[in-house]
Amino acid sequence: MSLRDLFTRHPERRYIMFGGKGGLGKTTLSAACAYWLARQGKRVLVFSVDPQASLSDIFQRDIFGQGPVRIMENLWAQEVDADKRIQAYQDEIRQKILDMYGFERVPEEIDSYIASASAEPAMEESAIFDAVVDIIVEGDYDYYIYDLVPLGHALYYLSMAKVYDEWINKITKLREEMGEYDRVAATLRRQETSEEDRVLAELRYIKGRINVSSSILTDRERTAFFFVLVPEEMIILDTRKAAELFARFDVPIAGYIVNRVLPPHLRDGKIPAYLRNRIELQEKYLGEIRSTLGKQILAYVPEMERDIAGLPMIERLAERLFEAGK
C-alpha cells in the first residue's frame, strides 16, 4: 500500500504524526503531506512544538509564535512559541490563585515560586503539551499534521497524557475525600461553594482535556503515526527500538517512510568511489528494511537535489512522497 492509498482508504484518519530521530526529514515530509492534502481540497493545519522547528524556513515565512498562518489555499502552518506559552501559563496560574483565594495580589513568595518553576523543563513541557491539546481539540481543520520533536522527547510528550491522567486521578481522589469536610465548613460559613469544590472543578476540567487529547493520540480510527527513517544501520536499530516503545503507549503506527534514498541508476554512470560505496551500503540496508518492515513501508522518497524550501520544492517533494510506492 502507498501513502496515497492509505489516505484514500482511510479519510477518517485526521490526526497525522511524523516521528523519528532528528535530521531525517520529518518536518519536510510533514510539510509535503500537508501540501498534498491541501491540494486535494482539504483544510489542513501543520504544526510543530519543537523549539528548533524549521517550518518557517521550509515555507519561507515567519510563522514562529504567531498562531496558525495561512500559507496557501486550504493550508495553514503553526510553530508554538514555548516561552510565550510559559508566560501565559504563569499568568493563568496567578489569576487562578487570585480567584480561588480572594487575594488582591499574589503573595510575593508564591510569585517567586511560580517564576522559578518556569525555569524547570517540566514547566516548558507542560505548557507545550497544553498548547498541543488546545490545537488538536479545536476541530477547525480536516487534517492536523503534527511534526513531532525527535524520538526521546516525542515519547515523553505522548506519554504525558497517561502520566498526567494518573496523577490527577490521585489528586482528585484526595480532594474528594477532603471535600466532604470542607463542604461542612462551607455550610457553617454559609458559603454556597467551598474552596475544595472549586479546586475539584479545576482538576476535573484539566482531566477532561487530557482525556480528550489522549483519546485522539491513541485512536486507531482517527490517528496515524508515520515513522521516518533513512537506510543507515544506526537509524534502523533506533527506529525498531522506538517502535516497540511507542507501541507500549498505544501509539497507532500506520507505517514507515524511507527517506533520502540515493537513485540506484547513478551506479551505472561514472561516479566517485565514495558515492558508489554509499549507494551499495544503502542497497544493503534497504534490503534489511524490506525484509523486516515489508508491507508496512508506504514510500521510498529519493534524495532531493537541493534543500526543501519554498512551495515549488515542497510540491516536488509531495509528488515524490505520494507517487512513490504506487
Side-chain angles (χ1 to χ4, degrees):
M1 183 187 293
S2 69
L3 197 61
R4 176 194 289 264
D5 292 336
L6 188 140
F7 277 101
T8 303
R9 294 181 191 181
H10 299 286
E12 72 282 2
R13 293 183 182 177
R14 301 174 50 216
Y15 301 95
I16 310 301
M17 293 181 280
F18 285 85
K21 283 182 72 90
L24 302 185
K26 298 187 303 296
T27 307
T28 53
L29 293 175
S30 297
C33 181
Y35 178 93
W36 187 83
L37 288 167
R39 283 290 193 192
Q40 311 306 307
K42 309 298 183 185
R43 282 171 54 85
V44 184
L45 174 69
V46 55
F47 69 99
S48 175
V49 298
D50 189 344
Q52 297 178 322
S54 52
L55 285 174
S56 287
D57 298 329
I58 291 170
F59 287 116
Q60 297 182 319
R61 297 276 300 274
D62 181 15
I63 62 174
F64 183 71
Q66 299 184 34
V69 173
R70 187 177 185 275
I71 302 297
M72 59 181 237
E73 186 176 5
N74 294 324
L75 176 58
W76 285 260
Q78 181 174 356
E79 286 179 338
V80 174
D81 182 343
D83 290 338
K84 189 187 291 185
R85 190 75 191 185
I86 288 171
Q87 182 61 52
Y89 208 55
Q90 288 179 327
D91 293 342
E92 187 179 335
I93 291 171
R94 291 188 181 97
Q95 190 57 52
K96 284 178 179 173
I97 289 171
L98 294 177
D99 292 343
M100 283 185 182
Y101 297 100
F103 297 144
E104 290 185 1
R105 64 181 182 84
V106 177
E108 190 174 333
E109 60 273 23
I110 295 178
D111 199 51
S112 298
Y113 176 77
I114 293 171
S116 62
S118 66
E120 297 290 332
M123 175 70 90
E124 178 179 333
E125 285 153 355
S126 177
I128 290 175
F129 179 80
D130 212 39
V132 173
V133 175
D134 278 346
I135 291 170
I136 65 177
V137 301
E138 202 169 60
D140 287 343
Y141 300 92
D142 297 322
Y143 283 91
Y144 291 84
I145 312 291
Y146 184 0
D147 169 32
L148 278 171
V149 288
L151 281 176
H153 285 151
L155 189 63
Y156 183 79
Y157 284 128
L158 293 169
S159 67
M160 279 183 77
K162 281 191 174 184
V163 174
Y164 276 12
D165 194 38
E166 290 174 7
W167 179 76
I168 287 179
N169 276 342
K170 289 179 182 176
I171 299 293
T172 301
K173 187 180 177 186
L174 283 173
R175 284 290 185 185
E176 285 172 342
E177 291 170 0
M178 293 168 63
E180 191 65 31
Y181 300 101
D182 195 64
R183 275 189 288 277
V184 174
T187 302
L188 293 174
R189 294 196 300 267
R190 297 184 179 179
Q191 293 176 335
E192 291 185 358
T193 306
S194 73
E195 179 183 305
E196 291 299 329
D197 286 339
R198 281 178 287 178
V199 174
L200 270 177
E202 180 68 18
L203 286 172
R204 285 167 180 155
Y205 168 74
I206 296 170
K207 180 177 165 58
R209 281 168 53 82
I210 290 171
N211 285 344
V212 168
S213 65
S214 178
S215 67
I216 290 173
L217 292 173
T218 58
D219 187 340
R220 294 187 178 279
E221 296 296 319
R222 294 184 293 169
T223 303
F225 180 94
F226 301 112
F227 265 114
V228 178
L229 71 161
V230 299
E232 293 178 13
E233 184 176 19
M234 292 308 297
I235 300 299
I236 295 170
L237 290 173
D238 286 343
T239 303
R240 283 182 191 153
K241 290 177 185 172
E244 291 172 4
L245 284 171
F246 275 50
R248 291 183 200 168
F249 286 97
D250 301 322
V251 176
I253 300 172
Y256 296 78
I257 296 168
V258 186
N259 197 20
R260 295 180 180 164
V261 179
L262 292 170
H265 67 264
L266 285 179
R267 198 169 54 175
D268 300 333
K270 188 175 181 181
I271 57 175
Y274 81 89
L275 183 55
R276 187 178 299 281
N277 188 49
R278 289 289 301 165
I279 293 172
E280 288 173 357
L281 276 175
Q282 275 212 352
E283 287 182 350
K284 172 187 171 185
Y285 293 123
L286 283 170
E288 190 174 329
I289 290 171
R290 287 191 194 96
S291 67
T292 54
L293 300 177
K295 294 180 179 178
Q296 297 178 82
I297 303 168
L298 299 172
Y300 292 93
V301 183
E303 179 77 275
M304 302 293 279
E305 63 275 18
R306 64 183 69 173
D307 291 342
I308 308 299
L311 289 180
M313 279 304 293
I314 294 172
E315 181 180 16
R316 290 180 61 185
L317 180 64
E319 287 172 357
R320 296 187 181 188
L321 176 63
F322 282 88
E323 295 303 316
K326 278 184 67 180

